[in-house]
Amino acid sequence: MACFIVSARAHPVVEARTSTATVVIKAGDVIVSLSPDEATQLCKDLAHAAMALSRTARARRGMVPAGGIEIARGNTDLVEVQA
């Protein structure tokens, strides 16, 4: 997988180019062209990373446990939440 670092004051712009069946991301003078499958995977990876950062930030503020929340069902009908 390619690695690139872009430092630009411009906001990224995304375009769908139907003529080449690609998704293009422009940030300043940099242009990244992705296939539809690559763009989909990038979106999933970005969302996963953003959610992980949000969970960490909330955990630091004491809103949720840092680890995952495990739900276990015991002998009763109650559901226990273990941090």
Side-chain angles (χ1 to χ4, degrees):
M1 175 174 282
C3 175
F4 56 91
I5 299 172
V6 177
S7 178
R9 292 182 184 255
H11 292 285
V13 177
V14 178
E15 296 177 0
R17 293 193 176 167
T18 55
S19 60
T20 57
T22 58
V23 176
V24 175
I25 303 169
K26 294 180 184 178
D29 293 333
V30 175
I31 297 175
V32 179
S33 182
L34 304 167
S35 72
D37 291 337
E38 291 169 331
T40 300
Q41 186 61 49
L42 177 61
C43 289
K44 289 177 184 177
D45 293 344
L46 288 171
H48 180 73
M51 288 186 297
L53 288 173
S54 292
R55 280 194 301 270
T56 302
R58 284 194 308 269
R60 287 186 182 146
R61 291 191 305 263
M63 296 174 68
V64 295
I69 296 176
E70 181 179 333
I71 298 177
R73 191 169 292 279
N75 292 335
T76 65
D77 291 332
L78 299 175
V79 175
E80 301 172 34
V81 176
Q82 302 168 350

